[in-house]
Amino acid sequence: MNIRIAPSILAADFAVLGEAVAAVESGGADLIHIDVMDGHFVPNITVGPLVVRALKRVARVPLSVHLMIEKPERYVEAFADAGASILTVHVEAAVHLHRTIELIHGRGVKAGVALNPATPVSTLEEVAALVDQVLVMSVNPGFGGQAFIPRSESKVRAVRALLDRERSAAAIAIDGGIDRDTIRRVVEAGAEILVAGVAIFHAQDPAAATRELKALARGEQPT
Ligand code: DX5
Ligand code: ZN
């Protein structure tokens, strides 16, 4: 398993995003998770391709863009051009999911699919073998700092089983309420990419928090 930590800048200080990225990179961040919200698919509104492009100039690690937007296919090109390395769309938002995945791959970008807490794992069946990442939402999307939904742990196990059955090489990411109490549990269930917002950026020292979470995820004693 290739355990990776993906700090979510949603919880960072947006006035100094470049500094926030540099801090977590120095703590060993493997990816930067960018949450895009449109005020329709989720109640909140965040950032678009312009901010991804700006972060691409300063980030040394790949940018993983989580699209919480309706009709995500309309924006694949813009986010690919902006420098996203992974584009994740919600199965609930993409009516022609297969086509959207092909569109993302056609732009040379890794494709991820995300599931809301109420969405069954079976919705992945037809695309499991095609995608590079499955993102399990362990909170309802839209806001940082929410409590981890305990059932997400068994959902990760179910996704793992499906991916094995379909011989898919996709990595499982988990997003929402990941902190020092939940991180090891979800790794043991099969998650490899751990997204964390508040647990990192609301800590006094985001670099140290990144390092600590990564060590905990790997089952090591934090230094
Ligand atoms: C929520 C976003 C998450 C969010 C997680 O809709 O998709 O990426 O930043 O935040 P925490 O880790 O604070 O729950
Ligand atoms: Zn996210």
Side-chain angles (χ1 to χ4, degrees):
M1 250 179 33
N2 178 13
I3 294 170
R4 282 159 282 171
I5 188 118
S8 164
I9 56 152
L10 186 65
D13 179 351
F14 272 61
V16 283
L17 274 187
E19 288 168 28
V21 166
V24 294
E25 283 179 339
S26 77
D30 299 284
L31 302 155
I32 300 297
H33 183 92
I34 304 174
D35 289 299
V36 175
M37 306 186 189
D38 66 352
H40 292 273
F41 181 68
V42 289
N44 206 356
I45 301 178
T46 56
V47 300
L50 272 176
V51 171
V52 173
R53 189 180 295 277
L55 289 178
K56 182 66 187 166
R57 290 206 321 266
V58 297
R60 286 172 306 176
V61 299
L63 303 180
S64 181
V65 177
H66 178 190
L67 296 177
M68 284 160 276
I69 62 176
E70 286 179 0
K71 299 190 171 64
E73 64 279 359
R74 291 190 301 175
Y75 296 97
V76 165
E77 193 169 341
F79 283 104
D81 284 350
S85 293
I86 307 172
L87 269 179
T88 297
V89 299
H90 270 260
V91 299
E92 306 85 0
V95 178
H96 299 289
L97 184 58
H98 184 279
R99 182 187 288 155
T100 304
I101 292 165
E102 289 194 322
L103 194 62
I104 296 170
H105 280 155
R107 302 299 312 225
V109 175
K110 288 189 176 161
V113 283
L115 298 181
N116 279 338
T119 304
V121 173
S122 58
T123 54
L124 290 175
E125 240 170 78
E126 304 301 325
V127 296
L130 303 174
V131 296
D132 305 290
Q133 171 179 290
V134 173
L135 186 145
V136 174
M137 285 306 302
S138 38
V139 298
N140 285 294
F143 303 94
Q146 302 179 80
F148 179 83
I149 297 171
R151 203 183 153 98
S152 315
E153 198 180 320
S154 58
K155 192 167 188 182
V156 169
R157 287 183 203 280
V159 172
R160 184 68 266 156
L162 172 68
L163 294 177
D164 290 347
R165 219 165 40 240
E166 295 290 328
R167 301 193 200 300
S168 169
I172 301 176
I174 188 151
D175 186 4
I178 298 302
D179 58 18
R180 54 161 74 90
D181 297 324
T182 52
I183 200 161
R184 187 61 198 160
R185 266 162 51 196
V186 296
V187 169
E188 280 167 359
E192 276 181 87
I193 299 174
L194 298 317
V195 179
V198 163
I200 288 178
F201 287 108
H202 289 196
Q204 238 178 15
D205 181 345
T210 305
R211 213 171 294 121
E212 184 193 5
L213 283 177
K214 199 164 164 178
L216 288 170
R218 292 183 164 168
E220 299 160 4
Q221 215 41 32
T223 47

